[in-house]
mmCIF file of all heavy atoms in Angstrom:
data_model
loop_
_atom_site.group_PDB
_atom_site.id
_atom_site.type_symbol
_atom_site.label_atom_id
_atom_site.label_comp_id
_atom_site.label_asym_id
_atom_site.label_seq_id
_atom_site.Cartn_x
_atom_site.Cartn_y
_atom_site.Cartn_z
ATOM 1 N N GLY D 42 14.748 -8.879 16.246
ATOM 2 C CA GLY D 42 14.501 -9.332 17.611
ATOM 3 C C GLY D 42 13.022 -9.643 17.796
ATOM 4 O O GLY D 42 12.632 -10.689 18.349
ATOM 5 N N LEU D 43 12.213 -8.744 17.333
ATOM 6 C CA LEU D 43 10.765 -8.892 17.392
ATOM 7 C C LEU D 43 10.313 -10.169 16.687
ATOM 8 O O LEU D 43 9.460 -10.924 17.175
ATOM 9 C CB LEU D 43 10.188 -7.658 16.697
ATOM 10 C CG LEU D 43 8.729 -7.568 16.389
ATOM 11 C CD1 LEU D 43 7.903 -7.816 17.625
ATOM 12 C CD2 LEU D 43 8.436 -6.174 15.844
ATOM 13 N N GLU D 44 10.901 -10.412 15.541
ATOM 14 C CA GLU D 44 10.525 -11.596 14.761
ATOM 15 C C GLU D 44 10.980 -12.873 15.469
ATOM 16 O O GLU D 44 10.278 -13.893 15.422
ATOM 17 C CB GLU D 44 11.166 -11.483 13.372
ATOM 18 C CG GLU D 44 10.660 -12.457 12.367
ATOM 19 C CD GLU D 44 9.246 -12.187 11.876
ATOM 20 O OE1 GLU D 44 8.577 -11.245 12.350
ATOM 21 O OE2 GLU D 44 8.793 -12.959 11.019
ATOM 22 N N LEU D 45 12.115 -12.810 16.156
ATOM 23 C CA LEU D 45 12.526 -13.955 16.974
ATOM 24 C C LEU D 45 11.473 -14.221 18.054
ATOM 25 O O LEU D 45 11.084 -15.375 18.287
ATOM 26 C CB LEU D 45 13.887 -13.684 17.627
ATOM 27 C CG LEU D 45 15.106 -13.833 16.715
ATOM 28 C CD1 LEU D 45 16.339 -13.212 17.347
ATOM 29 C CD2 LEU D 45 15.370 -15.322 16.403
ATOM 30 N N LEU D 46 11.005 -13.163 18.683
ATOM 31 C CA LEU D 46 9.970 -13.326 19.710
ATOM 32 C C LEU D 46 8.715 -13.957 19.121
ATOM 33 O O LEU D 46 8.114 -14.858 19.705
ATOM 34 C CB LEU D 46 9.622 -11.966 20.334
ATOM 35 C CG LEU D 46 10.672 -11.380 21.284
ATOM 36 C CD1 LEU D 46 10.389 -9.910 21.570
ATOM 37 C CD2 LEU D 46 10.690 -12.173 22.605
ATOM 38 N N ARG D 47 8.320 -13.483 17.940
ATOM 39 C CA ARG D 47 7.114 -14.029 17.308
ATOM 40 C C ARG D 47 7.272 -15.529 17.022
ATOM 41 O O ARG D 47 6.379 -16.325 17.307
ATOM 42 C CB ARG D 47 6.817 -13.298 15.992
ATOM 43 C CG ARG D 47 5.555 -13.792 15.297
ATOM 44 C CD ARG D 47 5.274 -13.060 13.998
ATOM 45 N NE ARG D 47 6.142 -13.451 12.905
ATOM 46 C CZ ARG D 47 5.940 -14.522 12.107
ATOM 47 N NH1 ARG D 47 4.885 -15.285 12.286
ATOM 48 N NH2 ARG D 47 6.783 -14.793 11.134
ATOM 49 N N ILE D 48 8.419 -15.901 16.476
ATOM 50 C CA ILE D 48 8.623 -17.296 16.095
ATOM 51 C C ILE D 48 8.782 -18.188 17.319
ATOM 52 O O ILE D 48 8.188 -19.260 17.417
ATOM 53 C CB ILE D 48 9.853 -17.420 15.161
ATOM 54 C CG1 ILE D 48 9.569 -16.696 13.830
ATOM 55 C CG2 ILE D 48 10.217 -18.888 14.929
ATOM 56 C CD1 ILE D 48 10.794 -16.496 12.953
ATOM 57 N N LEU D 49 9.578 -17.735 18.284
ATOM 58 C CA LEU D 49 9.865 -18.584 19.450
ATOM 59 C C LEU D 49 8.638 -18.781 20.331
ATOM 60 O O LEU D 49 8.569 -19.743 21.112
ATOM 61 C CB LEU D 49 11.038 -18.009 20.251
ATOM 62 C CG LEU D 49 12.388 -18.066 19.504
ATOM 63 C CD1 LEU D 49 13.465 -17.336 20.300
ATOM 64 C CD2 LEU D 49 12.810 -19.526 19.252
ATOM 65 N N ALA D 50 7.656 -17.883 20.207
ATOM 66 C CA ALA D 50 6.418 -18.058 20.972
ATOM 67 C C ALA D 50 5.762 -19.403 20.658
ATOM 68 O O ALA D 50 4.973 -19.925 21.438
ATOM 69 C CB ALA D 50 5.437 -16.922 20.661
ATOM 70 N N GLN D 51 6.101 -19.983 19.506
ATOM 71 C CA GLN D 51 5.517 -21.251 19.066
ATOM 72 C C GLN D 51 6.436 -22.443 19.291
ATOM 73 O O GLN D 51 6.107 -23.547 18.887
ATOM 74 C CB GLN D 51 5.219 -21.177 17.546
ATOM 75 C CG GLN D 51 4.130 -20.227 17.170
ATOM 76 C CD GLN D 51 2.779 -20.747 17.586
ATOM 77 O OE1 GLN D 51 2.278 -20.360 18.642
ATOM 78 N NE2 GLN D 51 2.208 -21.626 16.805
ATOM 79 N N HIS D 52 7.611 -22.199 19.856
ATOM 80 C CA HIS D 52 8.590 -23.286 19.944
ATOM 81 C C HIS D 52 8.383 -24.104 21.218
ATOM 82 O O HIS D 52 8.480 -23.568 22.312
ATOM 83 C CB HIS D 52 10.010 -22.717 19.912
ATOM 84 C CG HIS D 52 11.040 -23.700 19.446
ATOM 85 N ND1 HIS D 52 11.329 -24.850 20.136
ATOM 86 C CD2 HIS D 52 11.830 -23.733 18.335
ATOM 87 C CE1 HIS D 52 12.271 -25.531 19.491
ATOM 88 N NE2 HIS D 52 12.583 -24.871 18.377
ATOM 89 N N PRO D 53 8.152 -25.403 21.074
ATOM 90 C CA PRO D 53 7.825 -26.223 22.253
ATOM 91 C C PRO D 53 9.026 -26.584 23.128
ATOM 92 O O PRO D 53 8.838 -27.081 24.228
ATOM 93 C CB PRO D 53 7.231 -27.492 21.628
ATOM 94 C CG PRO D 53 7.867 -27.595 20.282
ATOM 95 C CD PRO D 53 8.100 -26.179 19.826
ATOM 96 N N ARG D 54 10.234 -26.329 22.637
ATOM 97 C CA ARG D 54 11.403 -26.785 23.394
ATOM 98 C C ARG D 54 12.225 -25.627 23.944
ATOM 99 O O ARG D 54 13.307 -25.844 24.495
ATOM 100 C CB ARG D 54 12.316 -27.638 22.482
ATOM 101 C CG ARG D 54 11.598 -28.703 21.656
ATOM 102 C CD ARG D 54 11.359 -29.952 22.482
ATOM 103 N NE ARG D 54 12.592 -30.665 22.702
ATOM 104 C CZ ARG D 54 13.094 -31.623 21.888
ATOM 105 N NH1 ARG D 54 12.420 -31.981 20.815
ATOM 106 N NH2 ARG D 54 14.211 -32.214 22.175
ATOM 107 N N VAL D 55 11.711 -24.432 23.809
ATOM 108 C CA VAL D 55 12.509 -23.253 24.131
ATOM 109 C C VAL D 55 11.723 -22.308 25.026
ATOM 110 O O VAL D 55 10.508 -22.165 24.873
ATOM 111 C CB VAL D 55 12.867 -22.524 22.807
ATOM 112 C CG1 VAL D 55 13.248 -21.076 23.057
ATOM 113 C CG2 VAL D 55 13.982 -23.264 22.078
ATOM 114 N N VAL D 56 12.413 -21.670 25.948
ATOM 115 C CA VAL D 56 11.789 -20.590 26.706
ATOM 116 C C VAL D 56 12.684 -19.349 26.616
ATOM 117 O O VAL D 56 13.901 -19.444 26.791
ATOM 118 C CB VAL D 56 11.517 -21.002 28.174
ATOM 119 C CG1 VAL D 56 12.797 -21.408 28.882
ATOM 120 C CG2 VAL D 56 10.840 -19.864 28.925
ATOM 121 N N VAL D 57 12.070 -18.245 26.273
ATOM 122 C CA VAL D 57 12.830 -16.996 26.196
ATOM 123 C C VAL D 57 12.908 -16.418 27.607
ATOM 124 O O VAL D 57 11.913 -15.980 28.165
ATOM 125 C CB VAL D 57 12.151 -15.988 25.251
ATOM 126 C CG1 VAL D 57 12.923 -14.667 25.229
ATOM 127 C CG2 VAL D 57 12.033 -16.560 23.830
ATOM 128 N N VAL D 58 14.105 -16.429 28.156
ATOM 129 C CA VAL D 58 14.238 -15.981 29.548
ATOM 130 C C VAL D 58 14.673 -14.528 29.644
ATOM 131 O O VAL D 58 14.583 -13.909 30.705
ATOM 132 C CB VAL D 58 15.256 -16.841 30.322
ATOM 133 C CG1 VAL D 58 14.737 -18.272 30.457
ATOM 134 C CG2 VAL D 58 16.625 -16.810 29.647
ATOM 135 N N TYR D 59 15.118 -13.979 28.523
ATOM 136 C CA TYR D 59 15.612 -12.604 28.575
ATOM 137 C C TYR D 59 15.454 -11.938 27.211
ATOM 138 O O TYR D 59 15.755 -12.545 26.169
ATOM 139 C CB TYR D 59 17.089 -12.597 28.985
ATOM 140 C CG TYR D 59 17.680 -11.207 29.022
ATOM 141 C CD1 TYR D 59 17.417 -10.346 30.098
ATOM 142 C CD2 TYR D 59 18.487 -10.738 27.976
ATOM 143 C CE1 TYR D 59 17.940 -9.070 30.123
ATOM 144 C CE2 TYR D 59 19.021 -9.460 28.006
ATOM 145 C CZ TYR D 59 18.735 -8.628 29.070
ATOM 146 O OH TYR D 59 19.243 -7.357 29.101
ATOM 147 N N ALA D 60 14.957 -10.703 27.235
ATOM 148 C CA ALA D 60 14.836 -9.912 26.013
ATOM 149 C C ALA D 60 15.488 -8.565 26.290
ATOM 150 O O ALA D 60 14.994 -7.783 27.100
ATOM 151 C CB ALA D 60 13.365 -9.719 25.634
ATOM 152 N N GLY D 61 16.630 -8.334 25.659
ATOM 153 C CA GLY D 61 17.382 -7.114 25.942
ATOM 154 C C GLY D 61 17.000 -5.974 25.015
ATOM 155 O O GLY D 61 16.836 -6.163 23.809
ATOM 156 N N SER D 62 16.832 -4.794 25.590
ATOM 157 C CA SER D 62 16.570 -3.594 24.798
ATOM 158 C C SER D 62 16.903 -2.379 25.637
ATOM 159 O O SER D 62 16.224 -2.095 26.618
ATOM 160 C CB SER D 62 15.089 -3.523 24.379
ATOM 161 O OG SER D 62 14.794 -2.210 23.918
ATOM 162 N N ARG D 63 17.956 -1.707 25.273
ATOM 163 C CA ARG D 63 18.333 -0.512 26.014
ATOM 164 C C ARG D 63 17.167 0.470 26.019
ATOM 165 O O ARG D 63 16.772 0.998 27.057
ATOM 166 C CB ARG D 63 19.567 0.121 25.365
ATOM 167 C CG ARG D 63 20.064 1.380 26.077
ATOM 168 C CD ARG D 63 21.532 1.599 25.866
ATOM 169 N NE ARG D 63 22.298 0.400 26.214
ATOM 170 C CZ ARG D 63 23.578 0.198 25.883
ATOM 171 N NH1 ARG D 63 24.239 1.134 25.212
ATOM 172 N NH2 ARG D 63 24.192 -0.918 26.232
ATOM 173 N N GLN D 64 16.604 0.692 24.808
ATOM 174 C CA GLN D 64 15.582 1.720 24.630
ATOM 175 C C GLN D 64 14.327 1.471 25.464
ATOM 176 O O GLN D 64 13.722 2.410 25.986
ATOM 177 C CB GLN D 64 15.205 1.747 23.141
ATOM 178 C CG GLN D 64 14.322 2.895 22.744
ATOM 179 C CD GLN D 64 13.819 2.719 21.301
ATOM 180 O OE1 GLN D 64 14.236 1.808 20.593
ATOM 181 N NE2 GLN D 64 12.938 3.619 20.884
ATOM 182 N N HIS D 65 13.922 0.199 25.569
ATOM 183 C CA HIS D 65 12.646 -0.090 26.221
ATOM 184 C C HIS D 65 12.838 -0.746 27.585
ATOM 185 O O HIS D 65 11.881 -1.296 28.146
ATOM 186 C CB HIS D 65 11.803 -0.993 25.324
ATOM 187 C CG HIS D 65 11.409 -0.334 24.045
ATOM 188 N ND1 HIS D 65 10.557 0.739 24.004
ATOM 189 C CD2 HIS D 65 11.776 -0.557 22.757
ATOM 190 C CE1 HIS D 65 10.401 1.122 22.750
ATOM 191 N NE2 HIS D 65 11.137 0.365 21.968
ATOM 192 N N SER D 66 14.052 -0.685 28.103
ATOM 193 C CA SER D 66 14.362 -1.334 29.368
ATOM 194 C C SER D 66 13.317 -0.995 30.434
ATOM 195 O O SER D 66 12.984 0.169 30.656
ATOM 196 C CB SER D 66 15.746 -0.879 29.819
ATOM 197 O OG SER D 66 16.048 -1.443 31.060
ATOM 198 N N GLY D 67 12.788 -2.028 31.061
ATOM 199 C CA GLY D 67 11.817 -1.824 32.132
ATOM 200 C C GLY D 67 10.370 -1.911 31.674
ATOM 201 O O GLY D 67 9.454 -1.993 32.491
#
Side-chain angles (χ1 to χ4, degrees):
Chain D
L43 171 53
E44 192 72 357
L45 283 166
L46 287 166
R47 181 180 75 84
I48 294 168
L49 293 174
Q51 292 288 97
H52 203 296
R54 313 277 288 271
V55 160
V56 59
V57 178
V58 294
Y59 178 78
S62 165
R63 181 153 308 166
Q64 189 189 353
H65 295 293
S66 177

